[in-house]
Structures are given as C-alpha cells and as structure tokens.
Amino acid sequence: MTTNEKFWIGFGDIHEDLSLVDEIPDLADAAGVIISGDITNRGGIRRASELLEVVFKINPNIYAQIGNMDRPEITSYLDDKGWNIHATGKQLTQDIGIMGVGYSTPTPFMTPSEVPDARLAQWLNQGYEQIKHLPKLILVAHDPPFGSKAADLPSGENVGNRSVLEFIQRVQPDICLTGHIHEAESEDFIGKTKILNPGMLCMGGYVLIRLKGDELEASLMYI
C-alpha cells in the first residue's frame, strides 16, 4: 500500500472468532475497519464489547453493525461508541459516505435479530437520507441482495434480500460489502455496484477498499 493512498478494510461474520484478525495486512494503517455483522453467536453487549476491543486495539476507527446472530441491544452499545452504521449514514471523506443495514429477514434458525423485509427497506432509506448528497457511497448490508452470487447456496437456491436489491438498483452505490451467507464468498455486480461477500472471517476472507484518485475500488482478499 502506498503511503498516500487512503484505504479501508472490511469483514464480517466474525462469530466470536478473531483468531486471524492480526494477520490482515495493514489493518492498523487503514482509514477504518468496516464490520458487516454477526460479531457474536447470539451474544449481547458484554460479548460484543470484548470482541470489538480486540479490533479497537489494532485500529480504533471502527464502522460496525449487528447481524442477525447479534442481540439488538448491541446497536445501542455501537451508538454509544460512535461506531454504528446500521440505519445510519456517516461521512468518510469529503466525497465518500458509508451506510449500513444490519439484522436479516427471517431464517429457519430463529436468530435474535430478524425483521420483515419492509423494515430493512425503511432502514435503508433512513441511512441513505443522511449521506445522499455525497457522490460516492459504500453500502454495508448484512443480508446480501437477491439474485447476486453473494446470496447463492450450494444447492443453487438464491436466498438474497429483495429490499437490498431494490435499493442497489435505485441508488447504485459504488460498493456493497455483505455477508450472512457463509458459503457464498464472491465478487459480483448489480449495475455499476460491486457486491463483495468475503465469507466468515475465520476462513481468511476480507475486503480491501481503496480510493485511487477519484475512484473507489474494492477487492476480495485472503489472508
């Protein structure tokens, strides 16, 4: 990485396993660490804080949200720390905004943070309102968009989210960092939006987002 290049590192689906986080190249030098959800395994604030403290000691610039496996109360903790991006937009640079939508639609596993699709759509619009004036956008969606490779099961069934798809089709963010479907590590496009699912962190996948000149670039990387 060149010294004058601004970059961010994103990952998710931690599931209480940060054994590889120290091996992510240049993590301490990133402009921020973006966490897409599933920090814990049905855990609350205490467990999430223990895990995020590990990340904080490496890089204190955290942008995070809960996934369906995290208890809803963790969002208030992230708000208090200034780290939350769920249903919220934040300005990263003069031209770049970041926003997120955590939780997921209902799963067969009755996880702690599941909501109807219409609620995700409301949260997407809520977050976008705060940064829609910025010309570049990073969307962090725990639930991957319907029809993308990021939502493909090994069976061939696609279990993506339609509200996330519709938002991407309408807004066309530059990058969508997603997760939730561990088996669907992939890079894909919906229009001009690059969709990246790095899978579970313990399997070594993460996303490198770079600002090169006036362009945002994102790549799926492996430790």
Side-chain angles (χ1 to χ4, degrees):
M1 210 72 62
T2 60
T3 54
N4 60 352
E5 184 177 283
K6 190 176 285 288
F7 68 96
W8 297 262
I9 289 174
F11 51 80
D13 295 287
I14 295 169
H15 294 289
E16 305 193 7
D17 188 343
L18 286 168
S19 57
L20 295 181
V21 75
D22 286 331
E23 299 182 34
I24 298 175
D26 302 311
L27 185 62
D29 299 321
V33 181
I34 303 169
I35 299 172
S36 64
D38 280 0
I39 301 161
T40 72
N41 292 324
R42 302 177 185 265
I45 291 172
R46 180 176 177 179
R47 189 65 181 123
S49 65
E50 291 169 350
L51 293 158
L52 292 173
E53 183 66 21
V54 175
V55 179
F56 179 81
K57 287 178 179 177
I58 301 170
N59 189 317
N61 301 312
I62 295 173
Y63 302 88
Q65 65 187 14
I66 70 168
N68 60 295
M69 286 291 290
D70 304 304
R71 293 183 196 163
E73 67 198 52
I74 295 172
T75 294
S76 63
Y77 163 77
L78 295 175
D79 276 329
D80 290 344
K81 301 292 285 187
W83 297 342
N84 184 47
I85 54 172
H86 167 67
T88 300
K90 294 181 181 290
Q91 189 165 350
L92 295 180
T93 72
Q94 182 177 346
D95 296 324
I96 303 171
I98 186 170
M99 59 168 284
V101 63
Y103 291 70
S104 80
T105 46
T107 73
F109 311 109
M110 300 180 65
T111 57
S113 294
E114 300 179 3
V115 293
D117 202 19
R119 190 72 177 110
L120 294 185
Q122 291 173 349
W123 282 331
L124 284 161
N125 291 330
Q126 179 180 324
Y128 183 55
E129 280 297 312
Q130 300 173 35
I131 39 80
K132 66 180 181 181
H133 61 287
L134 297 171
K136 296 179 174 62
L137 176 60
I138 299 169
L139 169 65
V140 186
H142 183 65
D143 229 355
F146 178 79
S148 69
K149 293 178 183 177
D152 283 342
L153 296 179
S155 65
E157 182 183 4
N158 190 278
V159 291
N161 183 274
R162 292 186 181 274
S163 288
V164 175
L165 170 63
E166 290 166 6
F167 179 84
I168 290 171
Q169 289 174 326
R170 173 168 56 89
V171 173
Q172 288 285 273
D174 297 84
I175 293 160
C176 174
L177 169 63
T178 187
H180 187 48
I181 309 302
H182 303 158
E183 313 94 313
E185 298 172 30
S186 60
E187 295 183 356
D188 199 2
F189 280 90
I190 296 174
K192 74 160 193 158
T193 303
K194 191 167 189 178
I195 316 294
L196 302 105
N197 180 353
M200 293 178 70
L201 179 60
C202 68
M203 300 302 291
Y206 67 98
V207 169
L208 175 63
I209 300 172
R210 293 181 286 186
L211 179 61
K212 301 191 76 173
D214 292 331
E215 299 298 320
L216 269 177
E217 298 182 354
S219 301
L220 187 57
M221 309 290 286
Y222 291 93
I223 297 164

